[in-house]
């Protein structure tokens, strides 16, 4: 996508700071302006011992729900290899696993979420299977409940924590009308944190700025929160997000 031309549009990037560089670089290379405002911070779990023990047990299937789940789980394993059928919710999660030398056995073809995984043929009959879901603290219950309903014994390795950063929004709000043309959000938690961070003074600005989301579930949530213009990317990866941004630029130029 080297022919991107975002025509100088200002794009607010709200990903956690350590995960924003790729998208920021793509926006800048595409003649856009990337404004960093992390609305999420990822921290290691507070009690790593029990989580490490869970990861090292014998499991039939281990499913990672995010790139952060892979990164923090492998840190806890400290070089020990996983021995199980491995699943990933989406392409970005699968890519991190592959970079660490693992092959992916379970990956949705179209829909990159818990619902997509539950559609896979190998996960339909799970009687007697032991499944570990690797995630952050307080993740969605849908995947685990769906597998339990099919007979699986499900465990959860919560390898990281998501927290709302302590950040002063005033400098951002002061330049919002001149600088921010589009807001990106790659999770409902990021969206909610952003609403909280800008507060009551910033909500009218945020509400009336186009918001790009990465799933139908996020789109419905954004509608329920009152966002006026919502764009839907085909996925959470940078290619999908950049394609959606380019389409928006072309439609609004």
């Amino acid at each position: 996508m080297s022919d991107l031309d975002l025509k100088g549009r200002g794009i607010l990037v709200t990903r956690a700071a350590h995960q924003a560089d790729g998208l920021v670089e793509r926006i800048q290379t595409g003649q856009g302006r990337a404004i960093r405002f992390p609305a999420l911070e990822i921290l290691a779990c507070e009690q790593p011992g029990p989580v490490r023990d869970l990861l090292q047990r014998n499991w039939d299937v281990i499913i990672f729900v995010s790139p952060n789940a892979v990164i923090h789980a492998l840190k806890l394993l400290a070089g020990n290899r996983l021995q199980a059928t491995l699943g990933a919710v989406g392409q970005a999660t699968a890519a991190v696993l592959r970079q660490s030398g693992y092959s992916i056995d379970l990956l949705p073809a179209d829909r990159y979420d818990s619902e997509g995984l539950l559609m896979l043929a190998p996960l339909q009959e799970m009687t007697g299977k032991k499944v570990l879901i690797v995630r952050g603290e307080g993740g969605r219950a849908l995947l685990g409940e769906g597998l339990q309903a099919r007979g699986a014994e499900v465990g959860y390795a919560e390898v990281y924590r998501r927290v709302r950063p302590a950040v002063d929004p005033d400098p951002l709000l002061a330049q919002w009308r001149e600088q921010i043309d589009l807001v990106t959000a790659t999770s409902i938690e990021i969206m909610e944190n952003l609403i909280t961070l800008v507060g009551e003074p910033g909500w009218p600005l945020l509400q009336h700025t186009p918001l790009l989301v990465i799933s139908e579930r996020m789109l419905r949530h954004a509608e329920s929160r009152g966002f006026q213009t919502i764009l839907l990317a085909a996925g959470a990866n940078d290619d999908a997000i950049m394609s959606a941004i380019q389409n928006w630029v072309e439609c609004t130029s």
Side-chain angles (χ1 to χ4, degrees):
M1 301 183 70
S2 58
D3 58 345
L4 282 178
D5 183 4
L6 303 184
K7 302 184 185 300
R9 302 293 179 89
I11 315 297
L12 191 70
V13 178
T14 58
R15 278 178 170 164
H18 72 286
Q19 293 181 309
D21 289 349
L23 184 57
V24 166
E25 182 178 340
R26 294 284 293 274
I27 291 169
Q28 293 172 339
T29 301
Q31 314 307 314
R33 292 179 295 105
I35 297 97
R36 295 175 183 260
F37 190 73
L40 187 71
E41 187 175 358
I42 304 296
L43 302 175
C45 58
E46 292 183 293
Q47 296 184 319
V51 181
R52 184 182 297 109
D53 291 343
L54 263 179
L55 289 166
Q56 293 179 331
R57 290 183 191 172
N58 291 323
W59 301 95
D60 297 301
V61 179
I62 300 177
I63 297 173
F64 293 86
V65 304
S66 69
N68 284 315
V70 178
I71 292 165
H72 285 271
L74 296 185
K75 284 181 180 178
L76 288 172
L77 285 169
N80 291 324
R81 299 288 293 177
L82 297 168
Q83 302 293 332
T85 295
L86 298 185
V89 167
Q91 293 284 1
T93 304
V96 179
L97 276 167
R98 291 190 185 104
Q99 288 164 10
S100 302
Y102 289 98
S103 59
I104 314 303
D105 305 292
L106 302 168
L107 179 66
D110 302 310
R111 180 170 179 166
Y112 300 123
D113 54 16
S114 297
E115 291 86 345
L117 265 173
L118 288 170
M119 293 176 188
L120 296 178
L123 296 181
Q124 298 309 303
E125 174 49 60
M126 298 299 292
T127 302
K129 298 290 188 181
K130 295 182 178 181
V131 181
L132 182 67
I133 297 174
V134 187
R135 66 182 190 179
E137 292 180 3
R140 291 179 75 195
L142 179 70
L143 179 58
E145 290 176 351
L147 294 173
Q148 284 174 328
R150 297 171 185 178
E153 176 187 327
V154 177
Y156 297 94
E158 297 187 328
V159 297
Y160 65 93
R161 297 175 288 138
R162 297 178 296 265
V163 300
R164 186 171 64 239
V167 60
D168 179 7
D170 289 347
L172 177 70
L173 297 180
Q175 62 171 344
W176 189 288
R177 294 186 189 280
E178 293 75 28
Q179 298 294 326
I180 310 299
D181 298 302
L182 176 72
V183 174
T184 62
T186 51
S187 72
I188 287 176
E189 189 165 10
I190 284 176
M191 188 193 311
E192 286 296 327
N193 286 351
L194 186 59
I195 292 171
T196 300
L197 287 168
V198 302
E200 189 174 344
W203 171 239
L205 295 170
L206 178 59
Q207 179 186 27
H208 292 95
T209 302
L211 173 73
L212 186 146
V213 300
I214 51 89
S215 71
E216 292 280 356
R217 190 167 69 95
M218 283 192 70
L219 187 147
R220 292 193 296 272
H221 187 83
E223 288 175 340
S224 74
R225 295 297 263 131
F227 284 90
Q228 297 300 296
T229 303
I230 308 166
L231 315 173
L232 178 61
N237 61 78
D238 289 347
D239 283 344
I241 291 172
M242 292 303 298
S243 178
I245 294 174
Q246 180 67 52
N247 289 340
W248 165 76
V249 170
E250 291 172 356
C251 290
T252 55
S253 296

